[in-house]
Amino acid sequence: MSGSSRKLMGTTAAGGAELLAIEDCFSCFLYTGTGSAQTITNGIDLAGEGGLVWIKNRTTTSNNILMDTLRGTNFVLFSESTSAQNSGMSSFFTSFNSDGFSVAGTYGGVNASGNNYASWTFRKAPRFFDCVQYTGTGVAGRTISHNLGVAPGCIIVKRTNTTGSWMVYNRGMDASSPEN
């Protein structure tokens, strides 16, 4: 780890302080599709810690694809769509690994031969990122539990069982912000 690496202050299971390097929790990784199953090794432990992978094909027009360890490898969301999650998507991802993730060779959105891809991987870590699934009640002001250990700076919500808009909150917003 370089001397200029940023550190995240987390906590251990025993409640003590733990310093995490950003490289242990986040990766922006570029790769070239093979058209055959391949493993993307970016150093992020998704199998043990959990998290989210976001992939964008940089060669052709295709959807931004989001997959998380909570819902598993058969469910994807498209960031530019209000559609419900797509299920039965084993042709996209095959596994979350201790050092990255694996993609299938049958879908061009994540692995077309010769296409260039950008992937962003977010590992669950205190004070950095958490991925939470809950059932809505329609009641405003509801508190949703998370494992950040601090108040979230940004919250992104997407209904997964039916069509619904993406909702984004940032702590810099207030009631007079045009986004509200």
Side-chain angles (χ1 to χ4, degrees), residues 17-164:
E18 172 186 26
L19 287 177
L20 298 171
I22 193 71
E23 296 88 6
D24 295 332
C25 302
F26 174 75
S27 169
C28 177
F29 191 84
L30 305 177
Y31 67 94
T32 301
T34 63
S36 298
Q38 74 167 310
T39 297
I40 306 304
T41 304
N42 62 15
I44 305 297
D45 180 6
L46 293 169
E49 301 293 337
L52 175 133
V53 176
W54 185 326
I55 295 178
K56 177 64 178 129
N57 186 329
R58 300 175 355 160
T59 304
T60 65
T61 303
S62 67
N63 292 317
N64 285 270
I65 297 167
L66 289 84
M67 172 133 338
D68 62 77
T69 57
L70 260 172
R71 294 173 305 119
T73 58
N74 282 326
F75 299 94
V76 300
L77 290 170
F78 302 121
S79 67
E80 64 279 6
S81 172
T82 59
S83 298
Q85 69 184 356
N86 287 295
S87 60
M89 296 297 171
S90 59
S91 61
F92 288 45
F93 288 79
T94 56
S95 65
F96 295 106
N97 307 324
S98 62
D99 59 356
F101 57 94
S102 296
V103 291
T106 56
Y107 180 70
V110 296
N111 195 24
S113 180
N115 283 3
N116 295 312
Y117 295 88
S119 68
W120 300 273
T121 303
F122 300 83
R123 189 197 99 181
K124 290 182 175 186
R127 303 179 67 91
F128 177 64
F129 179 80
D130 199 7
C131 192
V132 178
Q133 187 172 8
Y134 67 94
T135 301
T137 62
V139 176
R142 179 173 173 200
T143 299
I144 306 299
S145 297
H146 58 78
N147 294 309
L148 293 173
V150 295
C154 180
I155 301 170
I156 302 172
V157 178
K158 172 66 178 97
R159 187 170 182 170
T160 59
N161 65 337
T162 190
T163 299

